[in-house]
Amino acid sequence: VLAAHRAGISRIVLPRKCARDLDEVPESVRSQLQIILVDDMSEVLAAALEDKPSLEPGPKAHVANSDTTHAPV
């Protein structure tokens, strides 16, 4: 949790059984994080994945950067 905070991550998904360990995280850090406690993988997926954006081009659609030299993610 502390490493994620230092890295600038603000949303963390943790197993609910780890909730008691959050007491060791300073309140000043916890207050800056969105901590989501989950019981099973379906909750992890719901918390981690956002709705799929529409693939239909709209009037404002354009490619911001068409450079394909970067490595795939």
Side-chain angles (χ1 to χ4, degrees):
V1 173
L2 294 175
H5 178 259
R6 279 187 229 115
I9 297 171
S10 60
R11 188 174 194 203
I12 301 172
V13 179
L14 293 174
R16 189 171 308 280
K17 65 182 179 182
C18 294
R20 64 178 174 256
D21 298 329
L22 291 173
D23 291 338
E24 298 173 19
V25 178
E27 175 58 34
S28 60
V29 172
R30 281 184 291 164
S31 67
Q32 296 176 37
L33 300 173
Q34 178 185 14
I35 300 172
I36 302 168
L37 301 174
V38 297
D39 292 311
D40 59 51
M41 196 60 185
S42 65
E43 293 176 330
V44 173
L45 293 174
L49 301 178
E50 297 179 0
D51 289 337
K52 183 177 175 182
S54 172
L55 297 177
E56 295 181 26
K60 296 181 183 179
H62 79 81
V63 177
N65 183 358
S66 60
D67 179 14
T68 58
T69 61
H70 63 279
V73 177

